[in-house]
Amino acid sequence: MKDKRLLRINLFILIITAALSLTALLIDIEQIGVAGVAVGGILAFAYFLTLSILISRAFGSADADGIEAKTAGKLGLMLLLLTLGLAVITIAVILTRICQPFGFLIGFSALFGGIAFETMAFLVFSKPPAEAESD
């Protein structure tokens, strides 16, 4: 994976997960729980990392015409399996009462927070496009 933005999003997910877990530990609410926040954040990190790797590999070898039909089919199947796997793990974690559902949702929200932080950083720190000079 060569895209630095994807790596930063993954880093932001880990940082936000750590911050949310620490906050859950400090406020100590039974309906949230530190384990739920941590498990949700770790699953969000694993999901986004795997998704980033799959997409980078699939489109890394793409040419001007796009990706081949066979590669697209494999990618679609792998994305389906990844999503179903995440759903099964989520259901298993919640039904076995390893973590509280609210805590899991709060931890999984680190995925969206990581994307939002990277978007804001890109908008603030990127160079503006060169304005076209009219003659």
Side-chain angles (χ1 to χ4, degrees):
M1 183 169 49
K2 296 180 182 180
D3 193 1
K4 292 183 181 183
R5 289 178 292 194
L6 293 176
L7 291 173
R8 283 193 302 262
I9 291 172
N10 284 312
L11 180 65
F12 281 138
I13 291 172
L14 287 177
I15 291 170
I16 292 170
T17 298
L20 289 173
S21 297
L22 182 63
T23 303
L25 180 67
L26 292 174
I27 62 173
D28 194 30
I29 296 175
E30 183 180 336
Q31 290 83 5
I32 295 175
V34 179
V37 175
V39 168
I42 290 169
L43 280 177
F45 171 75
Y47 179 72
F48 193 79
L49 180 67
T50 309
L51 187 66
S52 301
I53 291 170
L54 283 175
I55 298 298
S56 295
R57 284 187 186 167
F59 290 102
S61 61
D63 55 4
D65 296 331
I67 60 176
E68 297 177 8
K70 185 177 180 181
T71 306
K74 285 181 184 179
L75 178 64
L77 181 63
M78 292 182 81
L79 290 174
L80 176 68
L81 292 175
L82 177 65
T83 304
L84 287 176
L86 178 68
V88 168
I89 291 171
T90 301
I91 291 169
V93 164
I94 291 174
L95 288 180
T96 57
R97 301 194 188 272
I98 292 175
C99 65
Q100 298 290 335
F102 289 131
F104 181 85
L105 288 174
I106 291 170
F108 200 80
S109 70
L111 172 69
F112 307 109
I115 294 170
F117 274 118
E118 176 55 31
T119 302
M120 288 186 292
F122 177 76
L123 291 174
V124 170
F125 297 114
S126 65
K127 295 178 182 177
E131 296 179 5
E133 294 182 24
S134 59
D135 292 341

